[in-house]
């Protein structure tokens, strides 16, 4: 990253961490991908060295996956920003995929709960799938963070189920099973159209969602009490001019980003929560 970019992050008061560890690519066995830098990583300018990283090192050593973790594993995070939210993840995913493609390395992604349609790391997953040549190199796991140690629990569960003596084989089978489950979420993802009714005749603005199963839905306030529109229309043939709320409030079709960013009167924008509940 450029000094100018770093300076701009500093001006904005954004905590960030670029991994300053160097690697001998001839010794690498795995690409490790975490979520985002924690406090320890932020201070030390290295990735996965806090409690989660120590647990992962312990697991790799005790299961014979690595004898020298810090030289055999190149480490990335899905974002270099030390925060709980991020949007622009494609460049990071592209860089990880580039290294995997060049050196034929598997990509071990830890932290799967926020990977899926409309979730925090949706953009990261889409991008890394796009740029990684061999999709069987994309392996996803639970996060190793204490005290829950979900990665260890997942490991033990699949070890009994798969009945394999090879740690490397078990690692690949767990990772591919999780990747398949995530991709199935995208296959099942419904098509969605979005509509907006501007305020008119002292009636507050409204958002409407039409899903490919024909459900036309809206949440709004009726004399400050929650109300809903639940109708059915043909997804492909429906036109905005076909509908007026209460016979007079017209709607126009808008894109997803606009729908999710619209501000409603005295109520939160409900679109993302609604879509998540349907998927």
């Amino acid at each position: 990253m450029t000094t100018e970019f770093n300076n701009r992050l500093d001006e904005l008061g954004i905590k960030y961490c670029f991994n300053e560890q160097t690697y001998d690519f001839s010794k690498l066995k795995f690409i490790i991908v975490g979520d985002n830098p924690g406090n320890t990583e932020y201070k030390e300018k290295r990735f996965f060295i806090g409690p989660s990283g120590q647990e992962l090192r312990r697991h790799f050593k005790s299961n014979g996956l690595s004898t020298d973790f810090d030289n055999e594993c190149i480490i990335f995070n899905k974002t270099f920003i030390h925060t709980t939210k991020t949007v622009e993840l494609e460049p990071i995913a592209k860089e990880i995929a580039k290294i995997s493609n060049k050196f034929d390395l598997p990509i071990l992604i830890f932290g799967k709960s926020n990977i899926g349609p409309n979730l925090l790391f949706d953009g990261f997953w889409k991008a890394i799938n796009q740029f990684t040549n061999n999709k069987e190199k994309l392996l996803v796991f639970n996060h190793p963070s204490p005290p829950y140690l979900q990665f260890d629990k997942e490991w033990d569960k699949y070890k009994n189920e798969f009945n394999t003596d090879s740690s490397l084989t078990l690692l690949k089978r767990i990772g591919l099973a999780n990747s398949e489950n995530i991709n199935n979420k995208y296959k099942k993802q419904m098509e969605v159209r979005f509509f907006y009714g501007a305020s008119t005749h002292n009636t507050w603005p409204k958002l409407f969602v039409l899903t490919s199963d024909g459900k036309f839905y809206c949440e709004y306030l009726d004399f400050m009490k929650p109300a809903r529109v639940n109708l059915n229309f043909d997804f492909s043939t429906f036109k905005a001019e076909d509908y007026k709320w209460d016979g007079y409030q017209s709607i126009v079709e808008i894109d997803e980003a606009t729908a999710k960013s619209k501000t409603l009167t005295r109520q939160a924008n409900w679109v993302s929560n609604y879509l998540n509940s349907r998927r």
Side-chain angles (χ1 to χ4, degrees):
M1 296 291 178
T2 65
T3 301
E4 181 180 357
F5 183 74
N6 290 16
N7 291 340
R8 181 57 178 156
L9 291 174
D10 291 335
E11 289 173 7
L12 294 171
I14 296 174
K15 289 185 176 181
Y16 60 91
C17 174
F18 299 117
N19 195 13
E20 295 181 356
Q21 184 173 342
T22 57
Y23 299 94
D24 180 347
F25 283 82
S26 65
K27 296 180 180 179
L28 293 179
K29 294 173 64 177
F30 304 107
I31 298 173
I32 304 293
V33 184
D35 281 342
N36 62 329
N39 284 323
T40 305
E41 288 81 2
Y42 171 67
K43 292 174 183 177
E44 300 294 331
K45 302 301 180 186
R46 292 174 61 202
F47 291 162
F48 243 134
I49 60 169
S52 299
Q54 296 308 315
E55 283 296 333
L56 192 63
R57 284 166 172 78
R58 176 197 58 76
H59 185 98
F60 269 50
K61 183 177 181 179
S62 64
N63 286 281
L65 292 167
S66 175
T67 56
D68 188 355
F69 185 93
D70 289 299
N71 284 315
E72 294 174 342
C73 303
I74 183 171
I75 304 177
F76 289 87
N77 278 323
K78 301 181 186 79
T79 171
F80 55 83
I81 303 296
H82 173 54
T83 180
T84 58
K85 294 183 182 295
T86 184
V87 178
E88 301 297 336
L89 300 176
E90 182 175 308
I92 299 171
K94 189 173 183 179
E95 181 65 21
I96 294 169
K98 180 179 178 182
I99 294 173
S100 174
N101 296 339
K102 183 175 181 180
F103 296 100
D104 194 31
L105 294 170
I107 302 171
L108 279 54
I109 301 171
F110 290 89
K112 66 183 184 183
S113 61
N114 280 309
I115 302 177
N118 300 306
L119 298 179
L120 182 60
F121 296 119
D122 179 15
F124 176 88
W125 183 251
K126 288 177 180 176
I128 205 163
N129 270 271
Q130 178 183 350
F131 296 114
T132 302
N133 292 341
N134 185 352
K135 301 302 184 290
E136 291 195 356
K137 297 290 184 181
L138 290 174
L139 309 175
V140 184
F141 308 91
N142 277 329
H143 204 276
S145 59
Y148 303 108
L149 304 178
Q150 294 297 336
F151 174 56
D152 278 5
K153 294 177 182 177
E154 178 178 62
W155 182 272
D156 292 339
K157 172 181 177 292
Y158 280 103
K159 186 174 183 179
N160 292 330
E161 182 177 329
F162 291 149
N163 192 27
T164 176
D165 294 328
S166 168
S167 292
L168 184 58
T169 299
L170 180 59
L171 187 77
K172 290 179 179 177
R173 292 191 68 177
I174 295 172
L176 286 174
N178 286 329
S179 291
E180 183 179 1
N181 288 338
I182 291 170
N183 286 330
N184 285 338
K185 294 180 184 178
Y186 285 91
K187 292 177 183 177
K188 295 176 182 177
Q189 188 175 13
M190 292 184 294
E191 293 183 75
V192 187
R193 295 171 65 187
F194 303 88
F195 302 87
Y196 178 70
S199 59
T200 180
H201 300 294
N202 296 319
T203 300
W204 289 342
K206 295 179 181 65
L207 289 165
F208 299 82
V209 171
L210 176 62
T211 46
S212 51
D213 59 355
K215 187 171 183 178
F216 185 75
Y217 181 83
C218 170
E219 294 181 12
Y220 65 99
L221 295 176
D222 184 17
F223 293 100
M224 295 306 298
K225 294 182 179 180
R228 290 175 173 79
V229 172
N230 274 301
L231 298 172
N232 290 286
F233 294 114
D234 184 88
F235 179 81
S236 58
T237 62
F238 177 79
K239 298 178 182 178
E241 54 265 32
D242 293 339
Y243 177 82
K244 289 185 179 180
W245 180 84
D246 206 27
Y248 67 88
Q249 188 175 21
S250 300
I251 62 173
V252 294
E253 187 156 7
I254 57 178
D255 61 33
E256 181 173 355
T258 303
K260 290 180 177 180
S261 64
K262 282 287 187 183
T263 300
L264 298 174
T265 305
R266 297 194 181 183
Q267 67 174 124
N269 186 309
W270 49 267
V271 171
S272 292
N273 286 338
Y274 173 69
L275 292 177
N276 288 337
S277 73
R278 298 292 314 280
R279 289 165 172 164

